[in-house]
Amino acid sequence: MRCSIRGCAMDDVRLRSRAPNARLWLAGGWLSLLLAAAILAPLIAPQDPLAQDLMFERLPPFWMQGSEPGFWLGTDSLGRDLLSRLIFGARIAFIVAFAAATAACLAGSTLGLVAGYFGGWADRIISRIVDVWMAFPPVLFAILLVAVLGTGLHSVIIAIAVIDWTRFCRVVRAEAMVQSRMDYVENARIAGFGRMGIMLREVLPNVLPSIVALLSLEMGIAVIVEAILSFVNLSISTDAPTWGGIIAEGRLSIHQAWWVLVFPLVTLFLTVLSFSQFGEGLKDRYDPVLR
């Protein structure tokens, strides 16, 4: 029995939405592994990340000649274990990612939902604020905020949240405007639901997949921003193991100890990519339209 072109297309969409999502599992696996390592850092780290011993200066990774047992990824110029510093650095990265992205998501999504659904003067005021806010270069704005607030983990989180709420606001506003014109919203009005009830019960669930995808992407951006700030010594203490700080040190010794630069760069790249792909995978898997 032959099916119509539209029917076959819809069947294909349903099958793809139910099929295992490779990027979702791969990205989720890497993030879960890294999160578990961050939580269990004091138990699984092979060495003290702050312990210095110039006798073990710039030891190579375990597969290279000249390595020492217990230093799996080698050491830096002060003899500190690189693997332990990467594991403890993951703690800082995840704290910043979850706290800053969640704060930006709550503020931006709330304002975007109100602007997109209610429109009118609320939309005009919020949109103008967003336009003015986005006129500032984000990285320079973050550096300025941290310089004003002072270095520290809380300052980094506040700076990222203050800058990136506009990203959520614009995306959610656009999605809410589209959803507010759908037939199901009109049916809810006819059924007697109030505007606030329709926004929360009808519009928000259909905007939520985009919020989840953007939240995951924002976590990756927060990790990058924290790495940039720690690279220029505007994050937490310079002695603390941060990925950006390790990269800054590895840049100075790239010719003598390439592993100090390469391993944190690879870790940072995989983490940011995983956050992005995980969010997109969740959106594809749980999008109400596809379901």
Side-chain angles (χ1 to χ4, degrees):
M1 182 176 179
R2 299 176 62 184
C3 62
S4 64
I5 295 177
R6 183 176 180 180
C8 290
M10 291 299 295
D11 290 341
D12 181 60
V13 169
R14 293 191 188 98
L15 287 173
R16 284 190 288 108
S17 66
R18 295 170 184 168
N21 194 323
R23 64 179 177 179
L24 177 62
W25 288 105
L26 289 174
W30 169 257
L31 293 176
S32 298
L33 179 64
L34 202 61
L35 180 60
I39 295 173
L40 301 174
L43 300 177
I44 65 174
Q47 307 290 337
D48 183 350
L50 301 179
Q52 303 179 14
D53 191 341
L54 296 181
M55 294 293 294
F56 298 115
E57 175 188 1
R58 292 172 181 164
L59 292 177
F62 71 93
W63 66 84
M64 297 178 61
Q65 186 177 4
S67 61
E68 288 286 338
F71 299 96
W72 296 98
L73 297 184
T75 61
D76 59 14
S77 58
L78 296 177
R80 296 173 295 190
D81 181 52
L82 182 58
L83 177 58
S84 299
R85 291 180 65 78
L86 288 177
I87 291 174
F88 275 87
R91 275 189 157 188
I92 298 173
F94 272 102
I95 290 173
V96 172
F98 285 122
T102 301
C105 176
L106 291 175
S109 298
T110 301
L111 293 174
L113 194 62
V114 171
Y117 178 72
F118 288 100
W121 62 268
D123 182 29
R124 289 193 293 271
I125 293 175
I126 294 174
S127 297
R128 295 296 81 77
I129 294 174
V130 170
D131 291 340
V132 172
W133 216 263
M134 297 190 71
F136 297 96
V139 175
L140 293 180
F141 196 15
I143 294 175
L144 176 62
L145 286 175
V146 171
V148 172
L149 296 173
T151 58
L153 199 59
H154 66 283
S155 299
V156 174
I157 293 172
I158 292 173
I160 296 173
V162 166
I163 292 170
D164 284 346
W165 68 269
T166 55
R167 183 178 292 108
F168 287 91
C169 189
R170 296 190 71 174
V171 172
V172 174
R173 172 184 174 272
E175 290 283 340
M177 291 178 68
V178 172
Q179 296 298 326
S180 63
R181 295 183 177 91
M182 294 293 181
D183 291 338
Y184 71 87
V185 174
E186 186 61 31
N187 292 336
R189 290 196 187 102
I190 296 173
F193 290 102
R195 300 188 71 183
M196 187 64 67
I198 294 174
M199 184 181 70
L200 297 178
R201 297 178 57 180
E202 305 293 336
V203 176
L204 180 58
N206 289 279
V207 177
L208 199 57
S210 297
I211 295 177
V212 171
L214 191 57
L215 176 62
S216 184
L217 177 63
E218 177 59 30
M219 289 181 181
I221 294 174
V223 171
I224 292 178
V225 174
E226 192 283 324
I228 293 173
L229 293 175
S230 59
F231 183 85
V232 295
N233 292 330
L234 285 177
S235 183
I236 60 178
S237 170
T238 54
D239 292 332
T242 60
W243 290 348
I246 299 172
I247 292 172
E249 181 183 355
R251 181 178 61 88
L252 301 176
S253 59
I254 180 63
H255 298 294
Q256 296 82 20
W258 57 265
W259 50 88
V260 182
L261 177 64
V262 171
F263 289 136
L265 279 176
V266 171
T267 304
L268 179 63
F269 172 78
L270 290 177
T271 303
V272 174
L273 180 64
S274 296
F275 272 124
S276 174
Q277 295 303 307
F278 187 72
E280 289 296 327
L282 285 178
K283 182 180 179 181
D284 293 344
R285 184 68 179 84
Y286 297 106
D287 194 329
V289 176
L290 292 180
R291 293 191 318 184

